[in-house]
Coordinates of all heavy atoms in Angstrom, one line a residue:
M1 N -57.5 -42.4 11.1 CA -56.7 -42.5 12.3 C -56.5 -44.0 12.7 O -57.3 -44.8 12.6 CB -57.5 -41.8 13.4 CG -56.7 -41.6 14.7 SD -57.6 -40.9 16.0 CE -58.2 -39.4 15.3
F2 N -55.3 -44.2 13.1 CA -54.9 -45.6 13.5 C -55.5 -45.9 14.9 O -55.2 -45.3 15.8 CB -53.4 -45.8 13.4 CG -53.0 -47.3 13.7 CD1 -53.4 -48.2 12.8 CD2 -52.2 -47.6 14.7 CE1 -53.0 -49.6 13.0 CE2 -51.9 -48.9 15.0 CZ -52.3 -49.9 14.1
V3 N -56.2 -47.0 14.9 CA -56.9 -47.4 16.2 C -56.4 -48.8 16.5 O -56.4 -49.7 15.7 CB -58.4 -47.4 16.0 CG1 -59.1 -48.0 17.3 CG2 -58.9 -46.0 15.8
E4 N -56.0 -49.0 17.7 CA -55.6 -50.3 18.2 C -56.6 -50.9 19.1 O -57.0 -50.2 20.1 CB -54.3 -50.2 19.0 CG -53.0 -50.1 18.1 CD -51.8 -50.0 19.0 OE1 -51.5 -50.9 19.8 OE2 -51.1 -49.0 18.9
T5 N -57.1 -52.1 18.9 CA -58.1 -52.8 19.7 C -57.5 -54.0 20.4 O -58.2 -54.6 21.2 CB -59.3 -53.2 18.9 OG1 -58.9 -54.0 17.9 CG2 -60.0 -51.9 18.3
A6 N -56.3 -54.4 20.1 CA -55.7 -55.6 20.7 C -54.7 -55.1 21.8 O -53.9 -54.2 21.6 CB -55.0 -56.4 19.7
C7 N -54.8 -55.7 22.9 CA -53.9 -55.4 24.1 C -52.5 -55.6 23.7 O -52.1 -56.7 23.2 CB -54.3 -56.2 25.3 SG -53.2 -55.9 26.7
R8 N -51.6 -54.6 23.9 CA -50.2 -54.7 23.5 C -49.5 -55.7 24.5 O -48.4 -56.2 24.2 CB -49.5 -53.4 23.6 CG -49.9 -52.4 22.5 CD -49.2 -51.1 22.8 NE -49.6 -50.1 21.7 CZ -49.0 -48.9 21.6 NH1 -48.1 -48.6 22.5 NH2 -49.3 -48.1 20.7
V9 N -50.1 -55.9 25.6 CA -49.4 -56.8 26.7 C -49.7 -58.2 26.4 O -48.9 -59.1 26.3 CB -49.8 -56.3 28.1 CG1 -49.3 -57.3 29.1 CG2 -49.3 -55.0 28.4
C10 N -51.0 -58.5 26.2 CA -51.5 -59.9 26.1 C -52.1 -60.3 24.8 O -52.3 -61.5 24.5 CB -52.4 -60.3 27.2 SG -54.1 -59.6 27.0
G11 N -52.4 -59.3 24.0 CA -53.0 -59.6 22.7 C -54.5 -59.7 22.6 O -55.1 -59.9 21.6
W12 N -55.2 -59.7 23.8 CA -56.6 -59.8 23.8 C -57.3 -58.7 23.1 O -57.0 -57.5 23.2 CB -57.1 -59.9 25.3 CG -58.5 -59.8 25.5 CD1 -59.3 -58.9 26.0 CD2 -59.5 -60.8 25.0 NE1 -60.6 -59.2 26.0 CE2 -60.8 -60.3 25.4 CE3 -59.4 -62.1 24.4 CZ2 -61.9 -61.1 25.1 CZ3 -60.5 -62.8 24.1 CH2 -61.8 -62.3 24.5
S13 N -58.3 -59.1 22.4 CA -59.3 -58.2 21.8 C -60.6 -58.9 21.8 O -60.7 -60.0 21.2 CB -58.9 -57.8 20.4 OG -59.8 -56.9 19.8
D14 N -61.6 -58.4 22.3 CA -62.9 -59.1 22.4 C -63.5 -59.2 20.9 O -63.8 -58.1 20.3 CB -63.9 -58.2 23.2 CG -65.1 -59.1 23.5 OD1 -65.5 -59.9 22.7 OD2 -65.7 -58.8 24.6
P15 N -63.6 -60.4 20.4 CA -64.0 -60.5 19.0 C -65.4 -60.0 18.8 O -65.8 -59.5 17.7 CB -64.0 -62.0 18.7 CG -63.6 -62.7 20.0 CD -63.4 -61.7 21.1
A16 N -66.3 -60.0 19.8 CA -67.7 -59.5 19.7 C -67.8 -58.0 19.9 O -68.6 -57.4 19.3 CB -68.5 -60.3 20.7
L17 N -66.9 -57.5 20.7 CA -67.0 -56.1 21.1 C -65.6 -55.5 21.3 O -65.2 -55.2 22.4 CB -67.8 -56.0 22.4 CG -68.3 -54.6 22.7 CD1 -69.4 -54.1 21.8 CD2 -68.8 -54.5 24.2
P18 N -64.8 -55.3 20.2 CA -63.5 -54.8 20.4 C -63.5 -53.4 21.0 O -64.3 -52.6 20.5 CB -62.9 -54.8 19.0 CG -64.0 -55.3 18.1 CD -65.2 -55.5 18.8
E19 N -62.7 -53.1 21.9 CA -62.6 -51.9 22.5 C -61.4 -51.1 22.0 O -60.4 -51.7 21.9 CB -62.5 -52.0 24.0 CG -63.7 -51.4 24.8 CD -63.5 -51.5 26.3 OE1 -63.0 -52.6 26.8 OE2 -63.8 -50.5 27.0
D20 N -61.5 -49.8 21.8 CA -60.4 -49.0 21.4 C -59.5 -48.8 22.6 O -59.9 -48.3 23.6 CB -60.8 -47.7 20.8 CG -61.6 -47.8 19.5 OD1 -61.7 -48.8 19.0 OD2 -62.0 -46.7 19.0
L21 N -58.2 -49.2 22.4 CA -57.2 -49.0 23.5 C -56.3 -47.8 23.2 O -56.0 -47.1 24.1 CB -56.4 -50.3 23.6 CG -57.1 -51.6 23.9 CD1 -56.2 -52.7 24.0 CD2 -58.0 -51.4 25.1
W22 N -55.9 -47.7 21.9 CA -55.1 -46.5 21.5 C -55.8 -46.0 20.2 O -56.3 -46.7 19.4 CB -53.7 -47.0 21.1 CG -52.8 -47.3 22.3 CD1 -52.9 -48.5 23.0 CD2 -51.7 -46.5 22.8 NE1 -51.9 -48.4 24.0 CE2 -51.2 -47.3 23.9 CE3 -51.1 -45.3 22.4 CZ2 -50.1 -46.8 24.5 CZ3 -50.1 -44.8 23.1 CH2 -49.6 -45.6 24.2
R23 N -55.8 -44.6 20.1 CA -56.4 -44.0 18.9 C -55.4 -42.9 18.5 O -55.1 -42.0 19.2 CB -57.8 -43.4 19.4 CG -58.7 -43.3 18.2 CD -60.1 -42.7 18.7 NE -60.9 -43.8 19.4 CZ -61.8 -43.4 20.4 NH1 -61.9 -42.1 20.8 NH2 -62.5 -44.4 21.0
G24 N -54.9 -43.1 17.2 CA -54.0 -42.1 16.7 C -52.7 -41.9 17.6 O -52.3 -40.8 17.8
G25 N -52.3 -43.0 18.3 CA -51.1 -42.8 19.1 C -51.4 -42.3 20.5 O -50.5 -42.1 21.3
T26 N -52.6 -42.1 20.8 CA -53.0 -41.7 22.2 C -53.7 -42.8 22.9 O -54.6 -43.3 22.5 CB -54.0 -40.4 22.0 OG1 -53.4 -39.4 21.3 CG2 -54.3 -39.9 23.4
P27 N -53.2 -43.1 24.1 CA -53.8 -44.2 24.9 C -55.1 -43.7 25.6 O -55.2 -42.5 25.9 CB -52.7 -44.4 26.0 CG -52.0 -43.1 26.2 CD -52.0 -42.5 24.8
L28 N -56.1 -44.6 25.6 CA -57.4 -44.2 26.1 C -57.6 -44.7 27.5 O -58.7 -44.6 28.1 CB -58.5 -44.8 25.2 CG -58.4 -44.3 23.8 CD1 -59.5 -44.9 22.9 CD2 -58.6 -42.8 23.7
H29 N -56.5 -45.3 28.1 CA -56.5 -45.7 29.5 C -57.7 -46.7 29.8 O -58.5 -46.5 30.7 CB -56.5 -44.5 30.5 CG -55.3 -43.7 30.4 ND1 -54.1 -44.1 31.0 CD2 -54.9 -42.6 29.6 CE1 -53.2 -43.3 30.7 NE2 -53.6 -42.3 29.9
V30 N -57.7 -47.7 29.0 CA -58.7 -48.8 29.1 C -58.0 -49.9 29.8 O -56.9 -50.3 29.4 CB -59.2 -49.2 27.7 CG1 -60.2 -50.4 27.8 CG2 -60.0 -48.0 27.0
I31 N -58.7 -50.5 30.7 CA -58.2 -51.7 31.4 C -58.5 -52.9 30.6 O -59.7 -53.2 30.3 CB -58.8 -51.9 32.8 CG1 -58.6 -50.6 33.6 CG2 -58.2 -53.1 33.6 CD1 -57.2 -50.3 34.1
C32 N -57.5 -53.8 30.3 CA -57.7 -55.0 29.6 C -58.5 -56.0 30.4 O -58.0 -56.3 31.6 CB -56.4 -55.5 29.1 SG -56.4 -57.1 28.3
D33 N -59.5 -56.6 29.9 CA -60.3 -57.6 30.7 C -59.4 -58.9 30.9 O -59.6 -59.6 31.9 CB -61.5 -58.1 29.9 CG -62.6 -57.0 30.0 OD1 -62.5 -56.2 30.9 OD2 -63.5 -57.0 29.1
C34 N -58.5 -59.1 30.0 CA -57.7 -60.3 30.1 C -56.6 -60.2 31.1 O -56.5 -61.0 32.0 CB -57.2 -60.7 28.7 SG -56.3 -62.2 28.6
C35 N -55.6 -59.3 30.8 CA -54.4 -59.2 31.7 C -54.5 -58.1 32.7 O -53.6 -58.1 33.6 CB -53.2 -59.1 30.8 SG -53.0 -57.5 30.0
G36 N -55.4 -57.2 32.6 CA -55.6 -56.1 33.6 C -54.7 -55.0 33.4 O -54.6 -54.1 34.2
S37 N -54.0 -55.0 32.2 CA -53.1 -53.8 31.9 C -53.9 -52.6 31.4 O -55.0 -52.8 30.9 CB -52.1 -54.2 30.8 OG -51.3 -55.2 31.2
E38 N -53.4 -51.4 31.7 CA -54.1 -50.2 31.3 C -53.4 -49.6 30.1 O -52.1 -49.4 30.1 CB -54.1 -49.2 32.4 CG -54.8 -48.0 32.1 CD -54.9 -47.0 33.3 OE1 -54.7 -47.5 34.5 OE2 -55.1 -45.8 33.1
S39 N -54.1 -49.3 29.0 CA -53.4 -48.7 27.8 C -52.9 -47.4 28.3 O -53.5 -46.6 28.9 CB -54.4 -48.6 26.6 OG -55.5 -47.9 26.9
G40 N -51.6 -47.2 27.8 CA -50.9 -46.0 28.2 C -50.1 -46.1 29.5 O -49.4 -45.2 29.9
V41 N -50.2 -47.2 30.2 CA -49.4 -47.4 31.4 C -48.5 -48.6 31.2 O -47.3 -48.4 30.8 CB -50.3 -47.7 32.6 CG1 -49.5 -47.9 33.9 CG2 -51.3 -46.5 32.8
E42 N -48.9 -49.8 31.3 CA -48.0 -51.0 31.1 C -47.5 -51.1 29.6 O -46.4 -51.6 29.4 CB -48.8 -52.3 31.4 CG -48.9 -52.5 32.9 CD -50.1 -51.9 33.5 OE1 -50.7 -51.1 32.8 OE2 -50.5 -52.3 34.6
D43 N -48.3 -50.5 28.6 CA -47.9 -50.7 27.3 C -47.4 -49.4 26.7 O -47.4 -49.3 25.5 CB -49.1 -51.2 26.5 CG -50.2 -50.1 26.4 OD1 -50.1 -49.1 27.1 OD2 -51.2 -50.4 25.6
I44 N -46.9 -48.5 27.5 CA -46.4 -47.2 27.0 C -45.2 -47.4 26.0 O -45.0 -46.6 25.1 CB -46.2 -46.2 28.1 CG1 -46.1 -44.8 27.6 CG2 -44.9 -46.6 28.9 CD1 -47.4 -44.2 27.3
S45 N -44.4 -48.5 26.2 CA -43.3 -48.8 25.3 C -43.3 -50.3 25.1 O -43.9 -51.0 25.9 CB -42.0 -48.3 25.8 OG -41.5 -49.2 26.9
W46 N -42.6 -50.8 24.1 CA -42.6 -52.2 23.9 C -41.8 -52.9 25.0 O -42.2 -54.0 25.4 CB -41.9 -52.6 22.5 CG -40.4 -52.2 22.4 CD1 -39.9 -51.0 21.9 CD2 -39.3 -53.0 22.8 NE1 -38.6 -51.0 22.0 CE2 -38.2 -52.2 22.5 CE3 -39.2 -54.2 23.4 CZ2 -36.9 -52.6 22.8 CZ3 -37.8 -54.7 23.7 CH2 -36.7 -53.9 23.4
R47 N -40.9 -52.2 25.6 CA -40.2 -52.8 26.7 C -41.0 -53.0 28.0 O -41.0 -54.1 28.6 CB -39.0 -51.8 27.1 CG -38.0 -52.4 28.0 CD -36.9 -51.4 28.3 NE -36.1 -51.1 27.1 CZ -35.0 -51.8 26.8 NH1 -34.6 -52.8 27.5 NH2 -34.3 -51.4 25.7
T48 N -41.9 -52.0 28.3 CA -42.8 -52.1 29.5 C -43.9 -53.2 29.2 O -44.3 -53.9 30.1 CB -43.4 -50.8 29.9 OG1 -44.1 -50.2 28.8 CG2 -42.3 -49.8 30.3
A49 N -44.3 -53.2 27.9 CA -45.3 -54.2 27.5 C -44.7 -55.6 27.7 O -45.4 -56.5 28.2 CB -45.8 -53.9 26.1
L50 N -43.5 -55.8 27.3 CA -42.9 -57.1 27.4 C -42.7 -57.6 28.8 O -43.0 -58.7 29.2 CB -41.5 -57.1 26.7 CG -41.5 -57.3 25.2 CD1 -40.0 -57.3 24.7 CD2 -42.0 -58.7 24.9
R51 N -42.3 -56.5 29.6 CA -42.1 -56.9 31.0 C -43.5 -57.2 31.7 O -43.6 -58.2 32.5 CB -41.6 -55.6 31.8 CG -41.0 -55.9 33.1 CD -40.5 -54.7 33.8 NE -39.4 -54.0 33.0 CZ -39.3 -52.7 32.8 NH1 -40.1 -51.9 33.4 NH2 -38.3 -52.2 32.1
A52 N -44.6 -56.5 31.3 CA -45.9 -56.8 31.9 C -46.3 -58.1 31.4 O -47.0 -58.8 32.2 CB -46.8 -55.6 31.5
R53 N -46.1 -58.4 30.1 CA -46.5 -59.8 29.6 C -45.8 -60.9 30.4 O -46.5 -61.8 30.7 CB -46.2 -59.8 28.1 CG -46.7 -61.1 27.4 CD -46.3 -61.1 26.0 NE -46.6 -59.8 25.4 CZ -45.9 -59.4 24.3 NH1 -45.0 -60.0 23.8 NH2 -46.2 -58.1 23.8
K54 N -44.6 -60.7 30.6 CA -43.8 -61.8 31.3 C -44.3 -62.0 32.7 O -44.6 -63.1 33.2 CB -42.3 -61.4 31.3 CG -41.5 -62.5 31.9 CD -40.0 -62.3 31.9 CE -39.2 -63.4 32.3 NZ -39.6 -64.1 33.6
A55 N -44.6 -60.8 33.4 CA -45.1 -60.9 34.7 C -46.5 -61.6 34.7 O -46.8 -62.4 35.6 CB -45.2 -59.5 35.4
W56 N -47.3 -61.2 33.8 CA -48.7 -61.8 33.7 C -48.6 -63.3 33.5 O -49.3 -64.1 34.1 CB -49.4 -61.1 32.6 CG -50.8 -61.6 32.3 CD1 -51.9 -61.6 33.2 CD2 -51.3 -62.3 31.1 NE1 -53.0 -62.2 32.6 CE2 -52.6 -62.6 31.3 CE3 -50.7 -62.6 29.9 CZ2 -53.4 -63.2 30.4 CZ3 -51.4 -63.2 29.0 CH2 -52.8 -63.6 29.2
L57 N -47.7 -63.7 32.5 CA -47.6 -65.1 32.2 C -47.0 -65.9 33.3 O -47.4 -67.0 33.7 CB -46.7 -65.3 30.9 CG -47.3 -64.9 29.6 CD1 -46.2 -64.9 28.5 CD2 -48.5 -65.7 29.2
D58 N -46.0 -65.3 34.0 CA -45.3 -65.9 35.1 C -46.3 -66.2 36.3 O -46.2 -67.1 37.0 CB -44.2 -65.1 35.6 CG -43.0 -65.2 34.7 OD1 -43.0 -66.1 33.8 OD2 -42.0 -64.5 34.9
A59 N -47.3 -65.3 36.4 CA -48.3 -65.4 37.4 C -49.5 -66.3 37.0 O -50.4 -66.5 37.7 CB -48.9 -64.0 37.7
G60 N -49.3 -67.0 35.8 CA -50.3 -68.0 35.5 C -51.3 -67.5 34.5 O -52.3 -68.2 34.2
A61 N -51.1 -66.3 33.8 CA -52.0 -65.8 32.8 C -53.5 -65.8 33.3 O -54.4 -66.2 32.6 CB -51.9 -66.5 31.5
Q62 N -53.7 -65.3 34.5 CA -55.1 -65.2 35.0 C -55.8 -64.1 34.4 O -55.3 -63.0 34.1 CB -55.0 -65.0 36.6 CG -54.4 -66.1 37.3 CD -55.2 -67.4 37.2 OE1 -56.4 -67.3 37.4 NE2 -54.5 -68.5 36.9
W63 N -57.1 -64.3 34.2 CA -58.0 -63.2 33.7 C -58.3 -62.1 34.7 O -58.6 -62.5 35.9 CB -59.3 -63.8 33.1 CG -59.1 -64.1 31.7 CD1 -58.2 -65.1 31.2 CD2 -59.7 -63.5 30.5 NE1 -58.3 -65.1 29.8 CE2 -59.2 -64.2 29.4 CE3 -60.6 -62.5 30.4 CZ2 -59.6 -63.8 28.1 CZ3 -61.0 -62.1 29.1 CH2 -60.5 -62.8 27.9
F64 N -58.1 -60.9 34.3 CA -58.5 -59.8 35.2 C -60.0 -59.7 35.5 O -60.4 -59.5 36.7 CB -58.0 -58.5 34.6 CG -58.3 -57.3 35.4 CD1 -57.5 -57.0 36.6 CD2 -59.3 -56.4 35.0 CE1 -57.8 -55.9 37.3 CE2 -59.5 -55.3 35.8 CZ -58.8 -55.0 37.0
A65 N -60.8 -60.0 34.4 CA -62.2 -60.1 34.5 C -62.7 -61.5 34.1 O -63.0 -61.6 32.9 CB -62.9 -59.0 33.7
P66 N -62.6 -62.4 34.9 CA -62.9 -63.9 34.5 C -64.2 -64.1 33.9 O -64.4 -65.0 33.1 CB -62.7 -64.6 35.9 CG -62.1 -63.7 36.8 CD -62.3 -62.3 36.4
E67 N -65.1 -63.2 34.2 CA -66.5 -63.3 33.6 C -66.5 -63.0 32.2 O -67.4 -63.4 31.4 CB -67.5 -62.5 34.4 CG -67.4 -61.0 34.2 CD -66.3 -60.4 35.2 OE1 -65.6 -61.1 35.8 OE2 -66.3 -59.1 35.2
E68 N -65.5 -62.3 31.7 CA -65.4 -62.0 30.2 C -64.6 -63.0 29.4 O -64.5 -62.9 28.2 CB -64.7 -60.7 30.0 CG -65.3 -59.5 30.8 CD -66.6 -59.1 30.2 OE1 -66.9 -59.4 29.0 OE2 -67.5 -58.6 30.9
R69 N -64.1 -64.0 30.1 CA -63.3 -65.0 29.4 C -64.1 -66.0 28.6 O -65.0 -66.6 29.1 CB -62.5 -65.8 30.5 CG -61.6 -66.9 29.9 CD -61.0 -67.8 31.0 NE -60.6 -69.0 30.4 CZ -59.6 -69.7 30.8 NH1 -58.9 -69.4 31.8 NH2 -59.3 -70.9 30.2
P70 N -63.8 -66.0 27.3 CA -64.6 -67.0 26.4 C -64.3 -68.4 26.8 O -63.3 -68.7 27.2 CB -64.1 -66.7 25.0 CG -63.3 -65.4 25.1 CD -62.8 -65.3 26.5
A71 N -65.4 -69.3 26.7 CA -65.2 -70.6 27.0 C -64.1 -71.3 26.2 O -63.5 -72.2 26.7 CB -66.5 -71.3 26.8
D72 N -63.9 -70.9 24.9 CA -62.9 -71.5 24.1 C -61.7 -70.7 24.0 O -60.9 -70.7 23.0 CB -63.5 -71.7 22.7 CG -63.9 -70.4 22.0 OD1 -63.9 -69.3 22.7 OD2 -64.2 -70.4 20.8
W73 N -61.4 -69.9 25.0 CA -60.2 -69.0 25.0 C -59.0 -69.8 24.9 O -58.8 -70.9 25.5 CB -60.2 -68.2 26.3 CG -59.0 -67.3 26.3 CD1 -58.8 -66.2 25.5 CD2 -57.9 -67.3 27.3 NE1 -57.6 -65.6 25.9 CE2 -57.1 -66.2 26.9 CE3 -57.6 -68.1 28.3 CZ2 -55.9 -65.9 27.7 CZ3 -56.4 -67.8 29.1 CH2 -55.6 -66.7 28.7
D74 N -58.0 -69.4 24.0 CA -56.8 -70.1 23.7 C -55.6 -69.1 23.9 O -55.4 -68.3 23.0 CB -56.9 -70.6 22.3 CG -55.7 -71.6 21.9 OD1 -54.7 -71.4 22.5 OD2 -55.9 -72.4 21.0
L75 N -54.9 -69.3 25.0 CA -53.8 -68.4 25.3 C -52.7 -68.5 24.2 O -52.2 -67.5 23.7 CB -53.2 -68.8 26.6 CG -51.9 -68.0 27.0 CD1 -52.1 -66.6 27.1 CD2 -51.3 -68.6 28.3
T76 N -52.4 -69.7 23.7 CA -51.3 -69.9 22.8 C -51.7 -69.2 21.5 O -50.9 -68.5 20.9 CB -51.1 -71.4 22.5 OG1 -50.9 -72.0 23.8 CG2 -49.9 -71.6 21.7
A77 N -52.9 -69.3 21.0 CA -53.3 -68.7 19.7 C -53.3 -67.1 19.9 O -52.9 -66.4 19.0 CB -54.7 -69.1 19.4
Q78 N -53.6 -66.7 21.1 CA -53.6 -65.2 21.4 C -52.2 -64.7 21.3 O -51.9 -63.6 20.8 CB -54.3 -65.0 22.8 CG -54.3 -63.5 23.1 CD -55.2 -63.3 24.3 OE1 -56.3 -63.8 24.4 NE2 -54.8 -62.6 25.3
L79 N -51.2 -65.4 21.9 CA -49.9 -65.0 21.9 C -49.3 -65.0 20.5 O -48.4 -64.2 20.2 CB -49.0 -65.9 22.9 CG -49.4 -65.7 24.4 CD1 -48.7 -66.7 25.2 CD2 -49.1 -64.3 24.9
V80 N -49.7 -66.0 19.7 CA -49.2 -66.1 18.4 C -49.6 -64.9 17.6 O -48.8 -64.3 16.9 CB -49.7 -67.4 17.7 CG1 -49.5 -67.3 16.2 CG2 -48.9 -68.6 18.3
R81 N -50.9 -64.5 17.7 CA -51.4 -63.3 17.0 C -50.6 -62.0 17.4 O -50.4 -61.2 16.7 CB -52.9 -63.1 17.4 CG -53.9 -63.8 16.5 CD -55.3 -63.1 16.6 NE -55.7 -63.0 18.0 CZ -56.3 -64.0 18.6 NH1 -56.5 -65.2 18.1 NH2 -56.8 -63.8 19.9
L82 N -50.2 -62.0 18.7 CA -49.4 -60.8 19.2 C -48.1 -60.7 18.5 O -47.6 -59.6 18.3 CB -49.2 -61.1 20.7 CG -48.8 -59.9 21.6 CD1 -49.8 -58.8 21.5 CD2 -48.7 -60.5 23.1
R83 N -47.5 -61.8 18.1 CA -46.2 -61.7 17.5 C -46.3 -61.5 16.0 O -45.3 -61.2 15.3 CB -45.5 -63.1 17.7 CG -45.1 -63.2 19.2 CD -44.1 -64.3 19.4 NE -44.0 -64.7 20.8 CZ -44.7 -65.8 21.3 NH1 -45.4 -66.5 20.5 NH2 -44.6 -66.0 22.6
S84 N -47.5 -61.7 15.4 CA -47.6 -61.5 14.0 C -47.8 -60.1 13.5 O -48.2 -59.2 14.4 CB -48.7 -62.4 13.4 OG -49.9 -62.1 14.0
Ligands
LIG1 ZN1 -54.2 -57.5 28.0

């Protein structure tokens, strides 16, 4: 079964503890620690995911759960991974 652990909106996936966001095409309604999007809501289509990403970036790419933010977090690298 195809499992997605990277947020479709911001690309975040906890390297130490990746969480399943989508499993076999079914959203698990997990809130992303990074951008605060919920799988199955903001990322239900590529269009809504893009819109949510733009809104998040425009608002300064703030962490939804700042305590989960790695010290060496790199937004640019994360966005590059998202496009690949
Ligand atoms: Zn996210």
